[in-house]
Amino acid sequence: MNLQLKVPKMACSACVNTITKAVQAIDSAATVEADLKTKLVAIQTAKPESEVKKAIASAGYPVSRF
């Protein structure tokens, strides 16, 4: 499943690393690509969107709607 999520609080490479680790904690095979300028995170994962959003929010980065 390909997801594209907006993470407004993402501001630096450390944020990207934290988000990546949060997603990979629930799906070790997931790929995460983030664009700091647009605050968009593209994720390829087998997990449902709700689980991915919950993992990212638990790491301190709530996901918003586009």
Side-chain angles (χ1 to χ4, degrees):
M1 173 183 294
N2 289 321
L3 303 175
Q4 193 162 42
L5 307 173
K6 186 156 185 104
V7 185
K9 287 189 172 185
M10 182 176 63
C12 63
S13 60
C15 300
V16 174
N17 289 338
T18 301
I19 291 166
T20 300
K21 286 179 184 176
V23 172
Q24 290 179 339
I26 61 166
D27 180 1
S28 60
T31 59
V32 180
E33 292 181 26
D35 184 333
L36 292 171
K37 288 182 183 175
T38 62
K39 310 288 187 192
L40 293 177
V41 180
I43 302 167
Q44 187 150 12
T45 180
K47 296 290 182 182
E49 182 175 348
S50 59
E51 279 188 47
V52 173
K53 286 181 175 181
K54 185 176 178 181
I56 294 171
S58 293
Y61 297 92
V63 177
S64 71
R65 295 184 174 258
F66 284 91

Short mmCIF file of all heavy atoms in Angstrom, two decimals:
data_model
loop_
_atom_site.label_atom_id
_atom_site.label_comp_id
_atom_site.label_asym_id
_atom_site.label_seq_id
_atom_site.Cartn_x
_atom_site.Cartn_y
_atom_site.Cartn_z
N MET A 1 0.84 -1.17 0.00
CA MET A 1 0.00 0.00 0.00
C MET A 1 0.89 1.24 0.00
O MET A 1 1.85 1.33 0.76
CB MET A 1 -0.88 -0.03 1.27
CG MET A 1 -1.68 1.22 1.48
SD MET A 1 -2.64 1.20 3.02
CE MET A 1 -3.80 -0.10 2.66
N ASN A 2 0.56 2.17 -0.88
CA ASN A 2 1.28 3.44 -0.92
C ASN A 2 0.46 4.50 -0.20
O ASN A 2 -0.70 4.72 -0.54
CB ASN A 2 1.51 3.88 -2.37
CG ASN A 2 2.54 3.03 -3.06
OD1 ASN A 2 3.53 2.66 -2.45
ND2 ASN A 2 2.31 2.71 -4.31
N LEU A 3 1.07 5.16 0.77
CA LEU A 3 0.41 6.22 1.50
C LEU A 3 1.15 7.52 1.30
O LEU A 3 2.37 7.52 1.17
CB LEU A 3 0.40 5.91 3.01
CG LEU A 3 -0.23 4.60 3.46
CD1 LEU A 3 -0.03 4.43 4.96
CD2 LEU A 3 -1.70 4.59 3.11
N GLN A 4 0.42 8.62 1.27
CA GLN A 4 1.05 9.93 1.25
C GLN A 4 0.37 10.74 2.35
O GLN A 4 -0.82 11.00 2.30
CB GLN A 4 0.91 10.61 -0.10
CG GLN A 4 1.84 11.80 -0.20
CD GLN A 4 2.04 12.23 -1.63
OE1 GLN A 4 1.12 12.27 -2.42
NE2 GLN A 4 3.26 12.58 -1.97
N LEU A 5 1.17 11.08 3.37
CA LEU A 5 0.63 11.75 4.54
C LEU A 5 1.30 13.10 4.75
O LEU A 5 2.47 13.27 4.42
CB LEU A 5 0.86 10.87 5.78
CG LEU A 5 0.36 9.43 5.70
CD1 LEU A 5 0.82 8.64 6.91
CD2 LEU A 5 -1.15 9.39 5.58
N LYS A 6 0.56 14.03 5.32
CA LYS A 6 1.12 15.35 5.65
C LYS A 6 1.42 15.36 7.14
O LYS A 6 0.56 15.07 7.96
CB LYS A 6 0.13 16.44 5.28
CG LYS A 6 0.71 17.83 5.46
CD LYS A 6 -0.02 18.82 4.58
CE LYS A 6 0.62 20.17 4.66
NZ LYS A 6 1.43 20.49 3.51
N VAL A 7 2.67 15.72 7.46
CA VAL A 7 3.12 15.76 8.86
C VAL A 7 3.64 17.18 9.14
O VAL A 7 4.82 17.47 8.96
CB VAL A 7 4.22 14.70 9.11
CG1 VAL A 7 4.60 14.68 10.58
CG2 VAL A 7 3.77 13.32 8.64
N PRO A 8 2.74 18.09 9.58
CA PRO A 8 3.10 19.50 9.73
C PRO A 8 4.25 19.78 10.71
O PRO A 8 4.98 20.74 10.53
CB PRO A 8 1.81 20.15 10.24
CG PRO A 8 0.73 19.18 9.97
CD PRO A 8 1.35 17.83 9.89
N LYS A 9 4.42 18.95 11.74
CA LYS A 9 5.47 19.21 12.73
C LYS A 9 6.85 18.73 12.29
O LYS A 9 7.83 18.98 12.98
CB LYS A 9 5.11 18.55 14.06
CG LYS A 9 3.99 19.25 14.79
CD LYS A 9 3.85 18.66 16.18
CE LYS A 9 2.87 19.47 17.01
NZ LYS A 9 2.82 18.97 18.40
N MET A 10 6.94 18.04 11.17
CA MET A 10 8.23 17.54 10.67
C MET A 10 9.07 18.72 10.19
O MET A 10 8.66 19.46 9.30
CB MET A 10 7.98 16.55 9.52
CG MET A 10 9.23 15.94 8.96
SD MET A 10 8.85 14.72 7.69
CE MET A 10 8.06 15.71 6.43
N ALA A 11 10.25 18.92 10.80
CA ALA A 11 11.02 20.12 10.50
C ALA A 11 12.48 19.87 10.14
O ALA A 11 13.15 20.76 9.62
CB ALA A 11 10.96 21.08 11.67
N CYS A 12 13.01 18.67 10.42
CA CYS A 12 14.44 18.44 10.19
C CYS A 12 14.70 16.96 9.93
O CYS A 12 13.79 16.14 10.00
CB CYS A 12 15.24 18.89 11.41
SG CYS A 12 14.84 17.96 12.90
N SER A 13 15.95 16.64 9.64
CA SER A 13 16.29 15.26 9.33
C SER A 13 16.10 14.34 10.54
O SER A 13 15.78 13.17 10.39
CB SER A 13 17.71 15.15 8.80
OG SER A 13 18.64 15.62 9.76
N ALA A 14 16.26 14.88 11.75
CA ALA A 14 16.01 14.08 12.95
C ALA A 14 14.53 13.69 13.04
O ALA A 14 14.20 12.57 13.44
CB ALA A 14 16.44 14.83 14.20
N CYS A 15 13.66 14.61 12.63
CA CYS A 15 12.23 14.32 12.59
C CYS A 15 11.95 13.17 11.61
O CYS A 15 11.19 12.25 11.90
CB CYS A 15 11.44 15.54 12.15
SG CYS A 15 11.59 16.98 13.20
N VAL A 16 12.58 13.25 10.45
CA VAL A 16 12.40 12.21 9.42
C VAL A 16 12.87 10.87 9.97
O VAL A 16 12.18 9.85 9.80
CB VAL A 16 13.18 12.57 8.13
CG1 VAL A 16 13.12 11.43 7.14
CG2 VAL A 16 12.62 13.85 7.53
N ASN A 17 14.01 10.85 10.66
CA ASN A 17 14.52 9.60 11.23
C ASN A 17 13.56 9.03 12.27
O ASN A 17 13.32 7.82 12.30
CB ASN A 17 15.90 9.83 11.88
CG ASN A 17 16.98 10.06 10.85
OD1 ASN A 17 16.85 9.69 9.69
ND2 ASN A 17 18.06 10.69 11.27
N THR A 18 12.99 9.88 13.10
CA THR A 18 12.05 9.44 14.12
C THR A 18 10.80 8.84 13.48
O THR A 18 10.31 7.79 13.89
CB THR A 18 11.66 10.61 15.05
OG1 THR A 18 12.85 11.11 15.66
CG2 THR A 18 10.68 10.18 16.12
N ILE A 19 10.29 9.52 12.45
CA ILE A 19 9.10 9.04 11.75
C ILE A 19 9.39 7.71 11.05
O ILE A 19 8.60 6.77 11.11
CB ILE A 19 8.60 10.11 10.76
CG1 ILE A 19 8.03 11.30 11.54
CG2 ILE A 19 7.55 9.53 9.80
CD1 ILE A 19 7.81 12.55 10.71
N THR A 20 10.55 7.62 10.40
CA THR A 20 10.94 6.39 9.72
C THR A 20 11.02 5.23 10.71
O THR A 20 10.50 4.14 10.46
CB THR A 20 12.29 6.57 9.01
OG1 THR A 20 12.15 7.62 8.05
CG2 THR A 20 12.72 5.30 8.29
N LYS A 21 11.66 5.46 11.85
CA LYS A 21 11.78 4.41 12.87
C LYS A 21 10.41 4.00 13.40
O LYS A 21 10.18 2.81 13.66
CB LYS A 21 12.67 4.89 14.02
CG LYS A 21 14.13 4.92 13.65
CD LYS A 21 14.98 5.41 14.81
CE LYS A 21 16.43 5.54 14.38
NZ LYS A 21 17.27 6.10 15.45
N ALA A 22 9.51 4.96 13.57
CA ALA A 22 8.17 4.65 14.07
C ALA A 22 7.42 3.75 13.09
O ALA A 22 6.77 2.78 13.49
CB ALA A 22 7.39 5.93 14.31
N VAL A 23 7.53 4.06 11.79
CA VAL A 23 6.85 3.25 10.77
C VAL A 23 7.50 1.87 10.68
O VAL A 23 6.81 0.84 10.63
CB VAL A 23 6.87 3.96 9.40
CG1 VAL A 23 6.33 3.04 8.30
CG2 VAL A 23 6.07 5.25 9.46
N GLN A 24 8.82 1.83 10.69
CA GLN A 24 9.51 0.55 10.55
C GLN A 24 9.38 -0.32 11.81
O GLN A 24 9.59 -1.52 11.75
CB GLN A 24 10.97 0.77 10.16
CG GLN A 24 11.06 1.29 8.73
CD GLN A 24 12.46 1.56 8.25
OE1 GLN A 24 13.38 1.73 9.04
NE2 GLN A 24 12.63 1.63 6.94
N ALA A 25 8.99 0.27 12.93
CA ALA A 25 8.74 -0.51 14.14
C ALA A 25 7.50 -1.39 13.97
O ALA A 25 7.42 -2.47 14.55
CB ALA A 25 8.57 0.41 15.34
N ILE A 26 6.55 -0.93 13.16
CA ILE A 26 5.34 -1.73 12.93
C ILE A 26 5.42 -2.53 11.63
O ILE A 26 4.68 -3.48 11.43
CB ILE A 26 4.05 -0.87 12.95
CG1 ILE A 26 4.06 0.18 11.85
CG2 ILE A 26 3.85 -0.25 14.32
CD1 ILE A 26 2.72 0.83 11.61
N ASP A 27 6.32 -2.13 10.72
CA ASP A 27 6.52 -2.84 9.45
C ASP A 27 7.98 -2.66 9.04
O ASP A 27 8.35 -1.65 8.45
CB ASP A 27 5.59 -2.29 8.37
CG ASP A 27 5.76 -3.00 7.03
OD1 ASP A 27 6.58 -3.93 6.93
OD2 ASP A 27 5.05 -2.62 6.07
N SER A 28 8.81 -3.65 9.36
CA SER A 28 10.25 -3.54 9.12
C SER A 28 10.59 -3.42 7.63
O SER A 28 11.66 -2.94 7.28
CB SER A 28 10.99 -4.72 9.73
OG SER A 28 10.54 -5.94 9.17
N ALA A 29 9.68 -3.83 6.75
CA ALA A 29 9.94 -3.76 5.32
C ALA A 29 9.45 -2.46 4.69
O ALA A 29 9.62 -2.24 3.49
CB ALA A 29 9.29 -4.95 4.62
N ALA A 30 8.87 -1.58 5.48
CA ALA A 30 8.31 -0.33 4.95
C ALA A 30 9.41 0.59 4.45
O ALA A 30 10.52 0.61 4.99
CB ALA A 30 7.51 0.38 6.03
N THR A 31 9.10 1.35 3.41
CA THR A 31 10.01 2.39 2.93
C THR A 31 9.35 3.74 3.19
O THR A 31 8.14 3.90 3.03
CB THR A 31 10.33 2.26 1.43
OG1 THR A 31 9.11 2.34 0.68
CG2 THR A 31 11.02 0.94 1.13
N VAL A 32 10.17 4.70 3.62
CA VAL A 32 9.66 6.02 3.99
C VAL A 32 10.50 7.07 3.28
O VAL A 32 11.72 7.05 3.35
CB VAL A 32 9.75 6.23 5.51
CG1 VAL A 32 9.22 7.60 5.90
CG2 VAL A 32 9.00 5.13 6.26
N GLU A 33 9.83 7.97 2.58
CA GLU A 33 10.51 9.10 1.93
C GLU A 33 9.80 10.36 2.37
O GLU A 33 8.58 10.46 2.27
CB GLU A 33 10.45 8.97 0.41
CG GLU A 33 11.26 7.81 -0.14
CD GLU A 33 11.18 7.72 -1.65
OE1 GLU A 33 10.95 8.76 -2.31
OE2 GLU A 33 11.34 6.61 -2.17
N ALA A 34 10.57 11.32 2.85
CA ALA A 34 9.98 12.55 3.36
C ALA A 34 10.52 13.77 2.63
O ALA A 34 11.68 13.81 2.25
CB ALA A 34 10.27 12.68 4.85
N ASP A 35 9.64 14.75 2.44
CA ASP A 35 10.02 16.03 1.84
C ASP A 35 9.78 17.11 2.88
O ASP A 35 8.64 17.42 3.21
CB ASP A 35 9.18 16.28 0.59
CG ASP A 35 9.58 17.54 -0.15
OD1 ASP A 35 10.11 18.48 0.49
OD2 ASP A 35 9.35 17.61 -1.36
N LEU A 36 10.86 17.63 3.44
CA LEU A 36 10.74 18.62 4.51
C LEU A 36 10.07 19.92 4.05
O LEU A 36 9.41 20.59 4.84
CB LEU A 36 12.11 18.93 5.10
CG LEU A 36 12.74 17.78 5.88
CD1 LEU A 36 14.18 18.10 6.24
CD2 LEU A 36 11.94 17.48 7.13
N LYS A 37 10.24 20.28 2.78
CA LYS A 37 9.64 21.53 2.28
C LYS A 37 8.12 21.45 2.25
O LYS A 37 7.44 22.39 2.63
CB LYS A 37 10.18 21.85 0.89
CG LYS A 37 11.61 22.31 0.90
CD LYS A 37 12.08 22.67 -0.50
CE LYS A 37 13.55 23.06 -0.50
NZ LYS A 37 14.07 23.30 -1.83
N THR A 38 7.59 20.33 1.76
CA THR A 38 6.14 20.19 1.63
C THR A 38 5.50 19.52 2.85
O THR A 38 4.28 19.49 2.96
CB THR A 38 5.78 19.36 0.38
OG1 THR A 38 6.33 18.04 0.53
CG2 THR A 38 6.30 20.01 -0.88
N LYS A 39 6.35 18.96 3.73
CA LYS A 39 5.88 18.23 4.93
C LYS A 39 5.15 16.94 4.56
O LYS A 39 4.36 16.42 5.33
CB LYS A 39 4.97 19.09 5.81
CG LYS A 39 5.52 20.46 6.16
CD LYS A 39 6.64 20.37 7.14
CE LYS A 39 7.02 21.78 7.59
NZ LYS A 39 8.25 21.82 8.32
N LEU A 40 5.41 16.42 3.35
CA LEU A 40 4.77 15.20 2.91
C LEU A 40 5.68 14.00 3.14
O LEU A 40 6.89 14.07 2.95
CB LEU A 40 4.41 15.27 1.42
CG LEU A 40 3.33 16.28 1.05
CD1 LEU A 40 3.13 16.28 -0.46
CD2 LEU A 40 2.03 15.99 1.76
N VAL A 41 5.06 12.90 3.56
CA VAL A 41 5.78 11.65 3.78
C VAL A 41 5.13 10.58 2.91
O VAL A 41 3.92 10.34 3.02
CB VAL A 41 5.73 11.23 5.26
CG1 VAL A 41 6.49 9.93 5.48
CG2 VAL A 41 6.29 12.33 6.15
N ALA A 42 5.91 9.97 2.04
CA ALA A 42 5.43 8.88 1.20
C ALA A 42 5.90 7.57 1.83
O ALA A 42 7.08 7.40 2.13
CB ALA A 42 5.97 9.00 -0.21
N ILE A 43 4.95 6.68 2.06
CA ILE A 43 5.25 5.43 2.75
C ILE A 43 4.73 4.26 1.94
O ILE A 43 3.58 4.28 1.48
CB ILE A 43 4.59 5.41 4.15
CG1 ILE A 43 5.06 6.61 4.97
CG2 ILE A 43 4.87 4.10 4.88
CD1 ILE A 43 4.25 6.87 6.22
N GLN A 44 5.57 3.26 1.77
CA GLN A 44 5.14 2.01 1.13
C GLN A 44 5.16 0.96 2.22
O GLN A 44 6.21 0.67 2.80
CB GLN A 44 6.06 1.64 -0.01
CG GLN A 44 5.55 0.46 -0.79
CD GLN A 44 5.97 0.51 -2.24
OE1 GLN A 44 6.82 1.30 -2.62
NE2 GLN A 44 5.38 -0.32 -3.05
N THR A 45 3.99 0.41 2.54
CA THR A 45 3.86 -0.51 3.66
C THR A 45 2.73 -1.50 3.42
O THR A 45 1.83 -1.25 2.62
CB THR A 45 3.60 0.27 4.96
OG1 THR A 45 3.47 -0.65 6.05
CG2 THR A 45 2.35 1.12 4.88
N ALA A 46 2.80 -2.60 4.16
CA ALA A 46 1.73 -3.59 4.11
C ALA A 46 0.69 -3.32 5.20
O ALA A 46 -0.38 -3.92 5.21
CB ALA A 46 2.31 -4.99 4.30
N LYS A 47 0.99 -2.40 6.11
CA LYS A 47 0.09 -2.10 7.23
C LYS A 47 -1.02 -1.14 6.80
O LYS A 47 -0.83 -0.32 5.90
CB LYS A 47 0.87 -1.47 8.39
CG LYS A 47 1.89 -2.40 9.01
CD LYS A 47 1.23 -3.51 9.77
CE LYS A 47 2.26 -4.41 10.42
NZ LYS A 47 1.63 -5.51 11.13
N PRO A 48 -2.17 -1.20 7.48
CA PRO A 48 -3.26 -0.25 7.16
C PRO A 48 -2.88 1.18 7.52
O PRO A 48 -2.09 1.42 8.43
CB PRO A 48 -4.43 -0.74 8.01
CG PRO A 48 -3.97 -1.89 8.80
CD PRO A 48 -2.54 -2.17 8.49
N GLU A 49 -3.49 2.12 6.82
CA GLU A 49 -3.20 3.54 7.03
C GLU A 49 -3.42 3.95 8.47
O GLU A 49 -2.63 4.72 9.03
CB GLU A 49 -4.09 4.38 6.10
CG GLU A 49 -3.82 5.86 6.20
CD GLU A 49 -4.62 6.68 5.19
OE1 GLU A 49 -5.21 6.11 4.27
OE2 GLU A 49 -4.63 7.92 5.35
N SER A 50 -4.46 3.44 9.11
CA SER A 50 -4.75 3.83 10.49
C SER A 50 -3.61 3.44 11.44
O SER A 50 -3.27 4.20 12.35
CB SER A 50 -6.07 3.19 10.96
OG SER A 50 -5.98 1.77 10.88
N GLU A 51 -3.01 2.27 11.23
CA GLU A 51 -1.89 1.85 12.08
C GLU A 51 -0.66 2.72 11.85
O GLU A 51 0.05 3.06 12.79
CB GLU A 51 -1.53 0.38 11.79
CG GLU A 51 -2.41 -0.62 12.48
CD GLU A 51 -1.90 -2.03 12.32
OE1 GLU A 51 -0.69 -2.27 12.52
OE2 GLU A 51 -2.72 -2.90 11.98
N VAL A 52 -0.41 3.08 10.61
CA VAL A 52 0.74 3.92 10.28
C VAL A 52 0.58 5.30 10.91
O VAL A 52 1.50 5.82 11.54
CB VAL A 52 0.93 4.02 8.75
CG1 VAL A 52 2.01 5.02 8.40
CG2 VAL A 52 1.25 2.65 8.16
N LYS A 53 -0.61 5.88 10.77
CA LYS A 53 -0.88 7.20 11.36
C LYS A 53 -0.72 7.15 12.88
O LYS A 53 -0.16 8.07 13.49
CB LYS A 53 -2.29 7.67 11.01
CG LYS A 53 -2.44 8.12 9.58
CD LYS A 53 -3.86 8.59 9.34
CE LYS A 53 -4.05 9.18 7.97
NZ LYS A 53 -5.43 9.64 7.75
N LYS A 54 -1.19 6.08 13.50
CA LYS A 54 -1.10 5.94 14.95
C LYS A 54 0.36 5.85 15.39
O LYS A 54 0.76 6.47 16.37
CB LYS A 54 -1.87 4.69 15.40
CG LYS A 54 -1.95 4.52 16.88
CD LYS A 54 -2.82 3.32 17.24
CE LYS A 54 -2.87 3.10 18.72
NZ LYS A 54 -3.68 1.94 19.08
N ALA A 55 1.17 5.10 14.65
CA ALA A 55 2.60 4.95 14.98
C ALA A 55 3.32 6.29 14.87
O ALA A 55 4.13 6.64 15.74
CB ALA A 55 3.24 3.92 14.06
N ILE A 56 3.03 7.05 13.82
CA ILE A 56 3.67 8.35 13.63
C ILE A 56 3.23 9.32 14.74
O ILE A 56 4.04 10.04 15.31
CB ILE A 56 3.37 8.92 12.23
CG1 ILE A 56 4.03 8.02 11.16
CG2 ILE A 56 3.86 10.35 12.09
CD1 ILE A 56 3.61 8.35 9.73
N ALA A 57 1.95 9.32 15.05
CA ALA A 57 1.43 10.20 16.11
C ALA A 57 2.03 9.83 17.46
O ALA A 57 2.37 10.71 18.26
CB ALA A 57 -0.09 10.12 16.16
N SER A 58 2.22 8.54 17.72
CA SER A 58 2.82 8.09 18.98
C SER A 58 4.26 8.56 19.12
O SER A 58 4.76 8.72 20.22
CB SER A 58 2.76 6.56 19.08
OG SER A 58 1.43 6.14 19.19
N ALA A 59 4.91 8.80 17.98
CA ALA A 59 6.30 9.29 18.00
C ALA A 59 6.34 10.81 18.18
O ALA A 59 7.42 11.39 18.23
CB ALA A 59 6.99 8.90 16.69
N GLY A 60 5.16 11.45 18.26
CA GLY A 60 5.11 12.89 18.50
C GLY A 60 4.85 13.73 17.27
O GLY A 60 5.02 14.94 17.30
N TYR A 61 4.42 13.10 16.18
CA TYR A 61 4.18 13.82 14.93
C TYR A 61 2.79 13.52 14.40
O TYR A 61 2.60 12.66 13.56
CB TYR A 61 5.24 13.43 13.88
CG TYR A 61 6.63 13.82 14.31
CD1 TYR A 61 7.44 12.94 15.00
CD2 TYR A 61 7.12 15.10 14.06
CE1 TYR A 61 8.71 13.31 15.43
CE2 TYR A 61 8.37 15.48 14.48
CZ TYR A 61 9.16 14.57 15.16
OH TYR A 61 10.41 14.95 15.58
N PRO A 62 1.79 14.24 14.89
CA PRO A 62 0.42 13.99 14.41
C PRO A 62 0.33 14.21 12.89
O PRO A 62 0.95 15.11 12.35
CB PRO A 62 -0.42 15.02 15.15
CG PRO A 62 0.43 15.56 16.23
CD PRO A 62 1.85 15.30 15.86
N VAL A 63 -0.47 13.37 12.27
CA VAL A 63 -0.66 13.44 10.82
C VAL A 63 -1.92 14.26 10.56
O VAL A 63 -2.92 14.09 11.23
CB VAL A 63 -0.84 12.01 10.25
CG1 VAL A 63 -1.11 12.06 8.76
CG2 VAL A 63 0.43 11.19 10.54
N SER A 64 -1.85 15.16 9.58
CA SER A 64 -3.03 15.97 9.25
C SER A 64 -3.56 15.58 7.88
O SER A 64 -2.90 14.88 7.12
CB SER A 64 -2.68 17.46 9.26
OG SER A 64 -1.87 17.78 8.17
N ARG A 65 -4.74 16.04 7.60
CA ARG A 65 -5.32 15.83 6.27
C ARG A 65 -4.74 16.84 5.30
O ARG A 65 -4.28 17.89 5.70
CB ARG A 65 -6.84 15.99 6.32
CG ARG A 65 -7.49 14.92 7.16
CD ARG A 65 -9.01 15.07 7.10
NE ARG A 65 -9.61 13.96 7.79
CZ ARG A 65 -10.15 12.92 7.15
NH1 ARG A 65 -10.16 12.86 5.84
NH2 ARG A 65 -10.68 11.94 7.84
N PHE A 66 -4.81 16.52 4.02
CA PHE A 66 -4.29 17.43 3.00
C PHE A 66 -5.14 18.66 2.92
O PHE A 66 -6.30 18.66 3.06
CB PHE A 66 -4.27 16.74 1.62
CG PHE A 66 -3.16 15.77 1.50
CD1 PHE A 66 -3.31 14.45 1.85
CD2 PHE A 66 -1.92 16.19 1.04
CE1 PHE A 66 -2.27 13.56 1.74
CE2 PHE A 66 -0.87 15.31 0.93
CZ PHE A 66 -1.05 13.99 1.28
#
